[in-house]
Amino acid sequence: MAEMKVNPYDVEGEVDYDRLITEFGIKKIDEKLLKRIEKIAGEIHPYLKRGIFFAHRDLEKILDAYEKGEKFFLYTGDGPSGPIHLGHYSIWSFVKWLQDKFNVELWFQFTDDEKFLYKNMTYDEIQNWTHENMLDVIAMGFDVKKTRFLVDTKHAGLMYPEAIKVAKKITFNSIKAAFGFDGSNNIGSIFYTAMQTVPIFLPNILNNKNERCLIPLAVDQEPHFRLSRDVVEKLGHMKPSIMHAKFMSPLTGVQGKQSSSGSGKSILMTDDAKTVKKKINKHAFSGGKETTEEHRKLGGNIEVDVACQWLKYFEHDDDKLAEIYDKYSKGELLSGEVKKLLIEKINIILEDHQKRREDAEKLISKFIYKN
Ligand code: TRP
């Protein structure tokens, strides 16, 4: 088994989330925090209860401020180098829940510069993905009045003066250590962390405010912010708070993360119902036994069965999920039957998403930040 590696540009080996908490110096989201969130939001999102959003930095500070009547804003983003899949969807559906429950602004960064620098793709290809991905982000249903898109190359005039202030305080050595870079990496990629740092405080500069920032992200993005949180403070801004999500696994096994390349391993937001059925039936790793007879006798393994694990994201009813797990582990439910339940859930989500996506084009200009 490969050594565990988790950074924005490399996720390898078996991810041990407890070890990540120690290595990154982040904190587990515990019962006490869950209770606090529930009290404020009026409910608790299944992803919090189920440990999908599992860790944080300074989340208490956001809740303290909110309870005192202060607003905060949300910041998250997308690297546009391919189609949007269910891994993105799950994170952003949680971000939408936060926006709705706390009634706050969301600043959404499209890092077309990052993907151009890191991927073997042309500038035009990246621009095309930026456009396509915007349609999916809009289709998530974010409130157009409270959501602002920042596109790194388009808002460069606003971002660059701030990015150089950040860049001046980060050394090449710390970038090398955080991302495993050496002398062969291009110089743009070394600078890039500065661009991802700017939205932590840019909204305050633009709106002449002083609000806290909360960043929901998949845990592989943490190294950027570990490098820049202190820098932000040195520049006179508040350190951001962060909520970290585990990776949604590929279809082919419970380890690793979904990616937009390798089409059989992930479900895309634009897949039609038939494709979803085919992909899941063909590729979803099964925790079932070799034969039906054996499965009925010995039961299946929930922990390695991808359909069972994915249902954590899409079956929001705790009782139903518990029942499925119980029956599957006793052998009363077969792998094919669990897959069928999953396919139905996902296809409802996708049908809805695709309808909203069709109407998204005309909203793009409303979402893009204008000053
Ligand atoms: N770098 C991220 C990606 O490749 C995109 C991103 C930019 C982001 N800013 C962010 C993700 C803030 C989470 C939070 O997908």
Side-chain angles (χ1 to χ4, degrees), residues 184-201:
S184 71
N185 290 90
N186 74 58
I187 59 175
S189 60
I190 300 163
F191 176 80
Y192 168 71
T193 293
M195 290 298 282
Q196 187 156 325
T197 303
V198 170
I200 293 172
F201 56 85

Side-chain angles (χ1 to χ4, degrees), residues 122-163:
T122 66
Y123 186 78
D124 288 345
E125 282 170 316
I126 298 290
Q127 292 314 306
N128 183 50
W129 283 120
T130 305
H131 181 87
E132 288 297 310
N133 290 8
M134 279 181 179
L135 299 177
D136 285 297
V137 174
I138 291 170
M140 295 297 307
F142 293 119
D143 183 343
V144 62
K145 290 199 198 73
K146 295 200 202 75
T147 306
R148 320 264 176 267
F149 288 179
L150 288 172
V151 184
D152 286 356
T153 61
K154 303 294 168 282
H155 293 96
L158 290 175
M159 299 180 73
Y160 193 65
E162 302 308 323

Side-chain angles (χ1 to χ4, degrees), residues 38 47 107 120 156 166 175 193 251 311 366:
E38 183 167 18
Y47 293 1
W107 288 73
N120 189 14
V166 174
I175 294 284
T193 293
L251 273 176
L311 277 171
K366 292 205 172 74

